[in-house]
Amino acid sequence: MGSSESKSQHPEVLTPEPKPVDKQVRELETPWRKFNWNQKEELKAKLENFTPANPNAKDIKILVAGQIGAGKSSFINSICSAIQGRISARALVNSSAGDSHSFTQSLKGFTIRSGKKTLPFVFKDIMGLEPEVLAGSQTEDIINAVFGHVKDGYKFNQDQALSHKDQHYNFDPNLTDQAFCLVYIIPGDTVQFTDHRLLDKLKIIRQRISDKGIPQVVVMTKVDETCPLVRQDLEKMYTSKKIKQKMELCSSATGVPMSNIFPVKNYHDEIETDDKTDVLILKALEQIIQLADDRLEDSDIY
């Protein structure tokens, strides 16, 4: 009795077993977006054989914009890497951690090559946006670049947007000078902290180019730093609840529909390409090129 009573009065303290992490909290039962992870070669062939719908344009220009450190140049390099099957670094990337100024200082176009063949689309890298009103790439510079008024080599001026009096101002842009899609790069891991002043700039740009029917796309980078599931396996991309939430946040903040938002992982410190990384990048590229080509097909010179 004594022993039994003692046990009842002083019950053994059990350390509760940790509750298993509810998979539903982090991962959805079924993918919320259909995605074929085995379409890499099909996408690559489609892009390699692409021809602009409008015969008056020898290639399609895509303008890549975004805040400093978002991964603009890395995205261009990742496209080159995915197409070529090896790590490429044609667009220089700033590796200095904590640098608050844009590494890209002038407008430059990057062609995409597959072997010895140059593909008929060109990505224009522009100076990174900064929150301050007069810092970074001016909204007018981006708008002018989209409409083909900015010549390659123009060095961005933090204090003043390009003037029509400048020698780098193109008064009479043709179809090949103009960009037919604006790709805005947003890092998924910090999208919730995006400065409202940057978003205000983007809204101004969106409104001005939307009036001309120019499509806009958001490429959400750094997905591996955004969600642990995706870091372990990129194929969790479209079952990750966190990635979906971040994309919804991107859509709400920018006004770009979810169908035009593409999550990708850029190449950073890798020395070899990866099929899963490639297929995400190539799918984003295919959609960007198709949107741009649809607009080009119906275009007149502005």
Side-chain angles (χ1 to χ4, degrees):
M1 284 288 293
S3 174
S4 174
E5 184 178 354
S6 174
K7 285 183 180 179
S8 63
Q9 289 177 352
H10 305 284
E12 183 179 355
V13 178
L14 298 176
T15 302
E17 292 184 7
K19 292 182 179 180
V21 177
D22 186 356
K23 192 177 180 182
Q24 292 297 320
V25 173
R26 299 182 302 151
E27 186 175 3
L28 303 170
E29 283 283 352
T30 56
W32 59 270
R33 175 181 281 180
K34 278 188 175 183
F35 194 82
N36 177 5
W37 290 94
N38 298 312
Q39 61 181 319
K40 175 183 169 180
E41 294 306 320
E42 177 186 342
L43 288 169
K44 192 173 175 182
K46 192 173 181 181
L47 291 162
E48 288 172 340
N49 294 307
F50 172 80
T51 302
N54 191 318
N56 295 318
K58 65 178 182 179
D59 54 41
I60 293 180
K61 296 288 192 306
I62 310 295
L63 189 68
V64 183
Q67 69 189 75
I68 291 170
K72 296 184 286 82
S73 300
S74 293
F75 178 59
I76 293 172
N77 285 336
S78 295
I79 289 173
C80 294
S81 299
I83 292 286
Q84 294 176 9
R86 61 177 177 80
I87 299 298
S88 174
R90 295 187 62 219
L92 296 180
V93 178
N94 189 5
S95 60
S96 299
D99 194 337
S100 61
H101 298 289
S102 178
F103 191 62
T104 303
Q105 297 293 322
S106 58
L107 183 67
K108 184 176 181 182
F110 292 90
T111 55
I112 310 297
R113 293 194 297 266
S114 177
K116 295 183 179 180
K117 181 181 180 182
T118 299
L119 304 185
F121 33 88
V122 176
F123 281 80
K124 293 287 191 79
D125 193 6
I126 199 166
M127 187 179 184
L129 283 167
E130 296 183 46
E132 291 75 13
V133 175
L134 294 177
S137 180
Q138 302 290 300
T139 55
E140 287 300 321
D141 279 344
I142 292 180
I143 293 165
N144 279 330
V146 169
F147 294 153
H149 293 300
V150 184
K151 295 179 182 178
D152 276 11
Y154 167 65
K155 189 170 182 178
F156 300 107
N157 185 341
Q158 291 190 351
D159 299 319
Q160 183 178 339
L162 176 67
S163 164
H164 67 277
K165 297 178 182 179
D166 193 287
Q167 63 177 344
H168 284 96
Y169 189 90
N170 183 3
F171 280 95
D172 189 23
N174 57 37
L175 286 177
T176 300
D177 295 325
Q178 300 171 40
F180 284 90
C181 185
L182 173 65
V183 175
Y184 196 77
I185 308 295
I186 294 181
D189 60 331
T190 58
V191 60
Q192 69 273 28
F193 303 118
T194 303
D195 194 301
H196 68 88
R197 292 172 295 178
L198 290 173
L199 294 174
D200 288 343
K201 285 185 176 185
L202 183 58
K203 286 176 183 176
I204 293 170
I205 295 164
R206 272 181 51 74
Q207 183 171 1
R208 291 278 297 278
I209 69 174
S210 291
D211 290 343
K212 298 292 186 180
I214 303 297
Q216 295 110 50
V217 164
V218 168
V219 169
M220 195 176 81
T221 59
K222 303 186 180 181
V223 292
D224 50 324
E225 298 176 35
T226 302
C227 175
L229 282 174
V230 173
R231 185 185 304 123
Q232 294 171 7
D233 183 359
L234 278 178
E235 286 196 27
K236 300 288 187 181
M237 184 73 75
Y238 293 120
T239 55
S240 166
K241 191 172 183 181
K242 179 169 281 190
I243 294 296
K244 185 172 186 287
Q245 289 172 340
K246 294 285 188 173
M247 289 175 62
E248 288 171 341
L249 189 56
C250 276
S251 179
S252 176
T254 63
V256 174
M258 286 281 281
S259 58
N260 282 16
I261 298 178
F262 303 98
V264 303
K265 177 187 178 300
N266 285 337
Y267 286 112
H268 291 290
D269 53 4
E270 295 86 352
I271 59 173
E272 291 185 354
T273 57
D274 169 78
D275 285 349
K276 292 180 184 179
T277 301
D278 285 351
V279 74
L280 285 168
I281 292 167
L282 292 173
K283 186 62 180 178
L285 176 59
E286 180 211 29
Q287 294 297 304
I288 289 166
I289 297 302
Q290 191 59 63
L291 286 167
D293 195 46
D294 287 345
R295 178 64 188 91
L296 175 62
E297 187 177 10
D298 301 327
S299 67
D300 295 317
I301 297 177
Y302 300 141

